[in-house]
Amino acid sequence: MKRGSSLLAALLPVVLALPASRAAEPLSFYVNYSARVPTAPLAAHALSVVHPNATVDLAGAHEAGATLLAYLSIGEVAGDAPYRAEVTQRGLPLAGRNPAWNSDLIDLTDSRWVDFLVDELAVAASRRGFDGFFLDTLDSGKLVAPADAARTRALQAGIVAVVTRLRAKFPGKRIVINRGFFAFPELRTVVDGVLLESLYATH
């Protein structure tokens, strides 16, 4: 999903493929990646996705019965990510570039990135009061070494490890992934939903 986009409101085909043990979700949802997110559209939709660092009235949205998911990029670090400097300072592993979004690809075979994502970024979003996580850039591993099947499999295994660890750490939170079809066999009972971005068109 386009990072840095000021507003996306139910523009993409969505399927929330829920395990039978979980309640069905409505298909109408709202996405806003602005630094400040208004409360009215959050209250008007049952499910919304916003950046975890955005200025947003979580309490007001919750009073209206809304569920809010924090956006987390699993396989890339955006050029404007608020934690980008910390990634550099810690020497977390990068594995290439995605010029389409001016972002760096993360080496998901390094456990330090998994630790940072789950134990710091996700924990911070949870403490703010988000109801779960919207996980983006699951397919970015294919950009690292498209001709190296073994490397791609290792990176995809890292994606599965991240999502599985998030579920173990946050058993009561909602988790929705953006694509990542390669991981369906392993994640179908782990996640609460799937967004089918770029099904009919792309950027």
Side-chain angles (χ1 to χ4, degrees):
M1 181 169 288
K2 184 176 181 181
R3 293 158 294 283
S5 174
S6 61
L7 178 64
L8 291 174
L11 297 179
L12 302 174
V14 179
V15 171
L16 293 181
L18 300 170
S21 61
R22 297 182 185 273
E25 286 286 349
L27 296 180
S28 175
F29 79 113
Y30 175 74
V31 179
N32 189 333
Y33 293 155
S34 302
R36 292 180 176 273
V37 180
T39 304
L42 298 177
H45 294 79
L47 181 70
S48 295
V49 178
V50 303
H51 270 295
N53 299 109
T55 299
V56 56
D57 182 8
L58 291 172
H62 284 149
E63 288 177 4
T67 295
L68 275 73
L69 305 182
Y71 172 96
L72 292 179
S73 177
I74 301 298
E76 301 182 22
V77 176
D80 59 353
Y83 52 85
R84 185 178 179 85
E86 189 168 358
V87 168
T88 301
Q89 291 169 3
R90 293 186 179 206
L92 296 181
L94 302 179
R97 293 281 295 170
N98 183 352
W101 303 122
N102 187 33
S103 58
D104 288 304
L105 305 173
I106 283 290
D107 185 348
L108 285 149
T109 64
D110 192 307
S111 62
R112 292 176 297 166
W113 166 249
V114 180
D115 293 342
F116 179 68
L117 181 77
V118 174
D119 296 332
E120 299 196 33
L121 299 184
V123 165
S126 178
R127 287 175 177 166
R128 277 203 69 187
F130 281 94
D131 303 296
F133 314 103
F134 174 77
L135 308 182
D136 196 18
T137 64
L138 274 75
D139 293 330
S140 296
K142 294 185 293 185
L143 303 175
V144 174
D148 187 339
R151 174 71 164 153
T152 297
R153 285 195 299 270
L155 292 165
Q156 291 178 336
I159 289 288
V160 173
V162 170
V163 181
T164 302
R165 185 163 159 189
L166 275 171
R167 169 56 68 210
K169 192 173 185 70
F170 304 98
K173 298 290 186 182
R174 300 292 183 90
I175 297 178
V176 176
I177 59 175
N178 185 8
R179 300 184 69 88
F181 304 134
F182 66 87
F184 259 31
E186 294 170 279
L187 295 181
R188 62 184 301 271
T189 60
V190 176
V191 301
D192 296 280
V194 180
L195 182 144
L196 279 66
E197 185 184 20
S198 300
L199 182 62
Y200 301 115
T202 185
H203 64 87

